[in-house]
Amino acid sequence: LAWLRSTGVDGLGLGDVKLAAALGSLLGPQAILWTVAAAALLGAGLALAPRTITDPRQDPGDRARLPYGACLAAVGWVALVMIRR
Protein backbone atom coordinates (compact mmCIF):
# COMPACT_ATOMS: atom_id res chain seq x y z
CA LEU A 1 0.00 0.00 0.00
CA ALA A 2 2.88 2.36 0.81
CA TRP A 3 4.53 1.66 -2.56
CA LEU A 4 1.24 2.21 -4.38
CA ARG A 5 0.63 5.54 -2.68
CA SER A 6 4.18 6.82 -3.18
CA THR A 7 4.62 5.78 -6.84
CA GLY A 8 1.11 5.26 -8.17
CA VAL A 9 2.12 1.79 -9.47
CA ASP A 10 1.15 -1.55 -7.98
CA GLY A 11 4.29 -3.15 -6.57
CA LEU A 12 2.88 -6.58 -5.76
CA GLY A 13 0.28 -8.24 -7.92
CA LEU A 14 -2.55 -10.24 -6.48
CA GLY A 15 -1.14 -13.43 -8.00
CA ASP A 16 1.82 -13.17 -5.65
CA VAL A 17 -0.49 -12.61 -2.70
CA LYS A 18 -2.61 -15.65 -3.60
CA LEU A 19 0.49 -17.80 -3.99
CA ALA A 20 1.79 -16.63 -0.61
CA ALA A 21 -1.60 -17.35 0.98
CA ALA A 22 -1.70 -20.85 -0.48
CA LEU A 23 1.85 -21.55 0.65
CA GLY A 24 1.04 -20.15 4.08
CA SER A 25 -1.87 -22.52 4.45
CA LEU A 26 0.38 -25.46 3.56
CA LEU A 27 3.53 -24.43 5.43
CA GLY A 28 2.18 -22.71 8.52
CA PRO A 29 2.77 -19.24 9.92
CA GLN A 30 6.43 -19.56 10.90
CA ALA A 31 7.61 -21.34 7.77
CA ILE A 32 5.86 -18.91 5.41
CA LEU A 33 7.76 -15.99 6.96
CA TRP A 34 11.07 -17.76 6.27
CA THR A 35 9.87 -18.65 2.77
CA VAL A 36 8.92 -15.07 1.92
CA ALA A 37 12.24 -13.78 3.28
CA ALA A 38 14.24 -16.41 1.37
CA ALA A 39 12.32 -15.62 -1.83
CA ALA A 40 13.15 -11.93 -1.41
CA LEU A 41 16.85 -12.77 -0.96
CA LEU A 42 16.79 -15.05 -4.00
CA GLY A 43 15.12 -12.34 -6.07
CA ALA A 44 17.63 -9.74 -4.92
CA GLY A 45 20.52 -12.04 -5.77
CA LEU A 46 19.14 -12.84 -9.20
CA ALA A 47 18.44 -9.17 -9.86
CA LEU A 48 21.89 -8.01 -8.77
CA ALA A 49 23.90 -10.77 -10.48
CA PRO A 50 23.63 -9.34 -14.03
CA ARG A 51 24.71 -5.92 -12.76
CA THR A 52 28.09 -7.31 -11.80
CA ILE A 53 28.57 -8.83 -15.25
CA THR A 54 27.12 -6.22 -17.63
CA ASP A 55 28.38 -2.79 -18.55
CA PRO A 56 27.55 -0.35 -15.71
CA ARG A 57 26.80 2.38 -18.29
CA GLN A 58 23.90 0.34 -19.65
CA ASP A 59 20.47 1.82 -19.04
CA PRO A 60 18.82 -0.03 -16.08
CA GLY A 61 15.49 0.04 -17.92
CA ASP A 62 16.92 -2.18 -20.65
CA ARG A 63 17.37 -5.13 -18.31
CA ALA A 64 14.77 -7.87 -18.01
CA ARG A 65 12.51 -7.77 -14.97
CA LEU A 66 12.20 -10.72 -12.62
CA PRO A 67 8.75 -11.40 -11.18
CA TYR A 68 8.65 -12.04 -7.43
CA GLY A 69 6.17 -14.88 -7.92
CA ALA A 70 8.79 -16.97 -9.71
CA CYS A 71 11.17 -16.70 -6.75
CA LEU A 72 8.35 -17.34 -4.29
CA ALA A 73 7.25 -20.43 -6.20
CA ALA A 74 10.80 -21.85 -6.33
CA VAL A 75 11.50 -21.28 -2.64
CA GLY A 76 7.99 -22.43 -1.70
CA TRP A 77 8.49 -25.69 -3.58
CA VAL A 78 11.79 -26.30 -1.75
CA ALA A 79 10.14 -25.49 1.58
CA LEU A 80 7.28 -27.88 0.90
CA VAL A 81 9.69 -30.67 0.00
CA MET A 82 11.81 -30.02 3.09
CA ILE A 83 8.84 -29.92 5.48
CA ARG A 84 7.24 -33.07 4.07
CA ARG A 85 10.35 -35.12 4.86
Side-chain angles (χ1 to χ4, degrees):
L1 184 59
W3 179 263
L4 177 63
R5 287 188 180 179
S6 65
T7 63
V9 178
D10 284 334
L12 184 68
L14 290 179
D16 299 335
V17 174
K18 291 174 187 175
L19 177 60
L23 285 172
S25 68
L26 293 171
L27 295 173
Q30 186 176 5
I32 190 62
L33 293 176
W34 286 107
T35 303
V36 168
L41 289 175
L42 175 65
L46 290 175
L48 293 176
R51 292 178 186 236
T52 61
I53 300 169
T54 60
D55 184 11
R57 295 170 295 187
Q58 182 183 5
D59 182 25
D62 291 342
R63 296 188 181 108
R65 296 179 190 253
L66 177 70
Y68 177 68
C71 296
L72 184 60
V75 174
W77 182 80
V78 170
L80 284 170
V81 168
M82 297 299 287
I83 286 181
R84 299 293 178 203
R85 285 187 176 189

